[in-house]
Amino acid sequence: RGTLTGRALKSGGRIQRLGGVFVNHSSAMRHDQQKQQAQRLLKATATATPDLVVAIDTDFNLLHFNGVWEQQFRTAFDLEPQQGDNLKALLKNFPNERRLMESLWHKAFERDHFVAEMPLFSEDTSSSLFELHFQSMHNDSGEVIGAVRIAKDISSQALQNSSGDYRMRHDPITGLMNRRAFSAHLERAISHRHKRPSV
């Protein structure tokens, strides 16, 4: 399929010949069809899984997310994310979450892929533990253009695993005790101190 534009070429007031340009749109149409097919496949795949799927570009703009991720994000932050929104801007009032999120995504941009196990949100008071799979995305030149994260709830497996408690209480990047575990430890220490008999 294409577009033909032409005009009459005159000489001495008489039409001598016709001239024109034909633009072939077949390649562009095939590219658009392939892009739409890829988007439909991505949407269907992300919808079919119970895992939380989200993709961003290197500027932290949301490229794609499934309904499970959207629901979790809405519950955690009382925000309605839209495709194209910037994660940093969305989390401006949640500095702890923003710092953790930036650290993990930057690690994803720097590596081909990596896996972390942790509660999804540092302020999360539930016992949910997630296995986070990060995969970087590249353009045809091999440059990193973003990353995808798939979060799988592994809370039930963690309860059966003796090391699950450690992962729930420690930061996956630094290995240090996380904020929730530190607060609980501090409260126990203060409570223990008050219970000690005075001499």
Side-chain angles (χ1 to χ4, degrees):
R1 189 177 290 186
T3 304
L4 176 64
T5 56
R7 66 188 180 92
L9 302 175
K10 297 180 180 180
S11 177
R14 297 184 63 189
I15 297 174
Q16 298 292 318
R17 54 190 173 157
L18 295 175
V21 176
F22 178 78
V23 179
N24 188 346
H25 297 298
S26 300
S27 178
M29 288 178 64
R30 275 197 302 273
H31 178 73
D32 283 346
Q33 289 172 348
Q34 290 171 348
K35 184 177 178 182
Q36 290 172 8
Q37 175 88 6
Q39 288 173 340
R40 284 193 292 267
L41 180 61
L42 174 64
K43 184 176 181 181
T45 304
T47 302
T49 178
D51 300 336
L52 287 69
V53 180
V54 59
I56 66 169
D57 63 22
T58 52
D59 292 322
F60 288 82
N61 298 313
L62 288 168
L63 299 175
H64 182 80
F65 52 83
N66 66 358
V68 189
W69 180 88
E70 182 181 5
Q71 179 60 46
Q72 187 86 6
F73 192 89
R74 190 187 302 123
T75 301
F77 303 112
D78 195 27
L79 295 169
E80 294 284 343
Q82 303 290 328
Q83 188 170 323
D85 283 350
N86 186 275
L87 266 182
K88 290 182 181 182
L90 286 173
L91 297 178
K92 65 182 179 183
N93 295 325
F94 302 89
N96 292 333
E97 300 298 340
R98 178 175 167 162
R99 279 192 294 272
L100 177 61
M101 176 271 298
E102 285 186 57
S103 177
L104 290 169
W105 283 108
H106 277 301
K107 189 174 178 182
F109 298 151
E110 292 165 5
R111 300 185 181 189
D112 186 38
H113 65 273
F114 77 96
V115 179
E117 291 181 2
M118 57 182 286
L120 200 57
F121 306 112
S122 64
E123 303 295 341
D124 188 5
T125 55
S126 73
S127 59
S128 296
L129 179 68
F130 286 82
E131 184 176 78
L132 309 178
H133 290 256
F134 287 86
Q135 176 68 53
S136 59
M137 297 186 297
H138 303 79
N139 62 17
D140 292 339
S141 303
E143 299 168 325
V144 176
I145 57 172
V148 177
R149 190 201 73 193
I150 299 175
K152 180 179 182 63
D153 190 337
I154 58 168
S155 304
S156 58
Q157 296 98 305
L159 289 174
Q160 299 168 7
N161 188 329
S162 60
S163 63
D165 186 60
Y166 177 87
R167 292 195 303 266
M168 289 290 291
R169 296 176 181 277
H170 291 77
D171 182 271
I173 297 172
T174 65
L176 300 174
M177 189 180 290
N178 65 26
R179 181 178 175 182
R180 182 174 56 176
F182 178 76
S183 296
H185 181 75
L186 188 62
E187 286 176 13
R188 281 197 304 273
I190 291 171
S191 174
H192 181 69
R193 183 177 173 212
H194 287 308
K195 289 178 182 176
R196 288 177 64 184
S198 56
V199 179

